[in-house]
Amino acid sequence: MEPRINPFAPGAGVRPPAFSGREHVIEDVDIAYDRIRNGLHANSMILLGLRGVGKTVLLNRLHQDAKAKGFQTVKFEVPDGSGGHLVKQLVPNLNAVLRRLDRMQAAGALLDRAGASLRNFASAFSVSYEGISFGATPATVTADSGDLEYDLPELLELVALAAQERGTCLGLFIDEFQYLSRSELSALTRSFHEIAQAGLPAILIAAGLPQIAALTGEAKSYAERLFLYPKIGALDPDSSQEVLREPAQKHGADFSATALARILKETQGYPYFLQTWGKFAWDEAEGPEISEADVENAYVDIITHLDQSFFRTRFDRCSDAEQHYLRGMAELGEGAHGTGEIAAILGTKSAAVANIRKNLINAGMIYAPQYGETAFTVPLFEDFMKRVIPGLEPYRPKKRTR
Ligand SMILES: Nc1ncnc2c1ncn2[C@@H]1O[C@H](COP(=O)(O)OP(=O)(O)OP(=O)(O)O)[C@@H](O)[C@H]1O
Ligand SMILES: [Mg+2]
């Protein structure tokens, strides 16, 4: 059918034509927003899910909802694990929030303190920003110790207080949360702990790979009780069908029952794959029905496209040894595998490949669902690994060059 009107939208953070299966999370967060607006407590949330499962799209939606409810928001993505991003992103964004608060109700003692605190914070962490200053620096200087774990809670509390004074709330939206450093996670956790204790109107909604749950827990033990961790997974069959059928039906087309069954089986309900299969099947079909034969004819193009666009980019960033480790995991099939089991299939001991595993976790390629277990963060990655490296060779440590 006509590619110019093909509604399917595979792509990072691209809004899907039919957004399905996330009603529960949207409703839970909506309740949290209303509770906070009413001066009640609500837990901050960290959306956890594998690559391409729809975390960014959901986070964007929750951000829109917060703005529609009058929250003052800050939203950004942590680009990678190289560190220092939190402060760099927060300073200009919080400054924008303070400006908006100032516009709602001109300055006042609380906003002055928040503004001064942000100035101190920015200078303590050497971040420059185009800012306006709010009033004179108050006698008590805050957020300038240079220790993020003390300064960030002070700063965020003051911003939340200024928001409260204006009858509004603060919302922080952070994507790729797993790339924050341990001290950044610690500082944020502590901030929201203190905000909760002070009963201030602020919420954190973050999204990232499933290893965050362990990371925040390690950073601060109370993080497990402070945050909720909604799991964002593959879509159930009804939602998966809706994702495909609704956009097609809007154009007077539809998928046949067998075409749907085939796509659901191949994609296992993972949103990025559903969008990709939908797109290619649409292009292949004469229409108005998209048949199983159309899906079959598009198969090679779909796999080639997914390999190049989704899997390959991640694979190419890994060293030879890392790729080899991933290939060993693939040999064991779908799901999580014991770290010892993976080492065994590579013909070595866990300790010999512990560093490789650690690097792969830091790079966001794999994660530990439980202690001592390892799983891919990318759905269906095991099939790709077997396509790209057909045979598994035993592990050979690199010889050191002197
Ligand atoms: N609930 C949904 N219904 C239909 N399509 C969706 C849904 N959620 C996401 N998608 C589609 O799936 C694709 C991936 O979404 P998104 O980029 O939000 O995933 P992600 O979890 O953030 O991935 P990554 O971990 O790689 O950042 C996009 O093409 C998006 O349109
Ligand atoms: Mg994303």
Side-chain angles (χ1 to χ4, degrees), residues 12-13 51-52 54-57 77 175-176 207:
R51 289 285 174 206
K55 301 178 296 297
T56 298
V57 164
E77 172 186 322
D175 203 358
E176 301 287 352

Side-chain angles (χ1 to χ4, degrees), residues 17 42 62 84 99 117 134 136 155 162 172 180 184 188 213 269 272 308 317 334 349 351 359 373-374:
L62 300 173
R99 277 180 197 223
S117 179
F134 295 92
L155 173 62
L172 245 56
L180 291 178
E184 289 170 329
L188 265 178
Y272 183 78
Q308 282 166 2
R317 275 182 240 135
E334 231 182 283
K349 294 263 185 302
N359 291 341
E373 281 191 348
T374 309

Side-chain angles (χ1 to χ4, degrees), residues 41-285:
H41 170 71
N43 288 99
S44 286
M45 295 192 203
I46 305 181
L47 315 171
L48 300 183
L50 302 181
R51 289 285 174 206
V53 90
K55 301 178 296 297
T56 298
V57 164
L58 181 57
L59 191 70
N60 289 343
R61 164 65 195 265
L62 300 173
H63 179 223
Q64 290 308 323
D65 291 352
K67 286 202 291 191
K69 290 201 179 250
F71 277 59
Q72 297 303 319
T73 63
V74 167
K75 178 169 173 288
F76 59 89
E77 172 186 322
V78 187
D80 53 49
S82 63
H85 296 295
L86 181 67
V87 169
K88 272 189 225 134
Q89 298 269 16
L90 274 179
V91 167
N93 275 302
L94 285 175
N95 185 49
V97 165
L98 291 181
R99 277 180 197 223
R100 289 200 295 270
L101 292 176
D102 185 50
R103 250 182 270 135
M104 291 172 81
Q105 179 190 317
L110 278 175
L111 197 63
D112 272 359
R113 278 177 65 201
S117 179
L118 181 63
R119 271 206 307 280
N120 294 336
F121 185 79
S123 102
F125 293 96
S126 317
V127 178
S128 58
Y129 68 107
E130 302 273 314
I132 43 165
S133 306
F134 295 92
T137 305
T140 44
V141 182
T142 53
D144 69 340
S145 76
D147 183 341
L148 194 61
E149 219 179 297
Y150 291 94
D151 293 347
L152 188 63
E154 277 183 356
L155 173 62
L156 286 179
E157 259 190 78
L158 282 170
V159 177
L161 264 171
Q164 187 181 43
E165 192 184 43
R166 282 156 186 79
T168 177
C169 316
L170 176 68
L172 245 56
F173 295 82
I174 308 183
D175 203 358
E176 301 287 352
F177 202 62
Q178 75 283 349
Y179 286 142
L180 291 178
S181 70
R182 187 178 286 225
S183 69
E184 289 170 329
L185 283 172
S186 224
L188 265 178
T189 308
R190 188 168 171 159
S191 301
F192 279 85
H193 190 46
E194 293 190 4
I195 280 169
Q197 288 176 19
L200 290 171
I203 191 165
L204 166 71
I205 310 278
L209 296 174
Q211 73 244 33
I212 305 170
L215 286 177
T216 48
E218 273 168 34
K220 281 274 168 281
S221 60
Y222 54 74
E224 280 161 32
R225 282 159 285 141
L226 186 65
F227 299 131
L228 297 176
Y229 298 92
K231 291 205 172 48
I232 311 304
L235 300 178
D236 64 29
D238 284 349
S239 302
S240 301
Q241 294 208 13
E242 205 173 272
V243 164
L244 295 164
R245 295 188 69 188
E246 212 183 277
Q249 284 169 349
K250 278 202 185 126
H251 291 279
D254 206 348
F255 289 82
S256 76
T258 48
L260 282 174
R262 175 74 193 272
I263 298 181
L264 262 58
K265 181 166 169 272
E266 297 282 353
T267 59
Q268 295 181 23
Y270 282 103
Y272 183 78
F273 300 143
L274 285 168
Q275 296 296 335
T276 305
W277 282 75
K279 178 182 191 303
F280 279 84
W282 169 289
D283 283 351
E284 188 65 36

